[in-house]
Amino acid sequence: MPSTDLSNDIAASREEILKQLASAADHPVELVAVSKKQPDERLQAALDCGQRVFGENRVQQAQEHWQHRRDIEGLCLHLIGPLQSNKSEDAIALFDVIETVDRKKIVRTLSEAAAKLNRFPHLLIQVNTGEEEQKSGALPADLEELINYTRQTYPGELKGLMAIPPVDEPAGPHFALLKKLADRAGLPWVSMGMSADYELGAKLGATHVRVGSAFFGERKTD
């Protein structure tokens, strides 16, 4: 069981974030608590204070965190890290939302896995708004083609777009671009904003924000 101090700290952080999100936006914004690399007692403290939506970067670590907790009522797991095609079936089996679709091959392998398992997580396409060579995500110029392919191929639902702006640029223009692209495609979900800028994300139209250190406290590094 987590300590009382830890539980209180996480509960206070969650309450403050939710208050800020409600103040920043006139629409509902889902808080996705980024639980990657978090120790078990912090996950339990988050659950104890009512948090039910979590984001994980890696399929294997998510299985370790959540496989034995999968029957918790209301639990909703988001994959927010890059997905390798050979992990598609594991991702379909575990996650409720996969935010990092970035190429046709992933759409194809997810579609095959979803049909096989008869399980259909919602998908988001990750957009490389900064057109950074080292970063995952579809380029804005290629987005329409990938959206159309996903809608035609995936047996579940494409719900929205996700982005991680370049670290050395203001996030605002990237958030505005992502919202514009989502609106143009008729996609209702926009996942943008992390610990440093979730309020800005909410202000500019995010429906989901992915918050790690501001929720759990600073994470231990490997």
Side-chain angles (χ1 to χ4, degrees), residues 56 79 97 136-137 154 170 201:
E56 290 278 351
L79 178 62
V97 181
S136 301
Y154 184 63

Side-chain angles (χ1 to χ4, degrees), residues 77-92:
L77 301 179
H78 289 233
L79 178 62
I80 60 172
L83 177 62
Q84 297 172 317
S85 56
N86 65 354
K87 296 286 188 183
S88 289
E89 192 168 320
D90 289 340
I92 289 287

Side-chain angles (χ1 to χ4, degrees), residues 182-194:
D183 287 348
R184 184 185 297 165
L187 293 169
W189 289 8
V190 185
S191 176
M192 60 188 189
M194 298 187 287

Side-chain angles (χ1 to χ4, degrees), residues 43-79:
L43 302 185
Q44 192 57 52
L47 288 165
D48 290 346
C49 73
Q51 183 66 24
R52 290 295 180 269
V53 185
F54 295 89
E56 290 278 351
N57 264 42
R58 296 177 183 172
V59 174
Q60 187 173 345
Q61 189 171 61
Q63 289 170 325
E64 293 167 6
H65 277 166
W66 300 109
Q67 200 74 66
H68 62 293
R69 294 183 165 108
R70 207 60 192 88
D71 59 350
I72 292 174
E73 187 174 352
L75 185 67
C76 182
L77 301 179
H78 289 233
L79 178 62

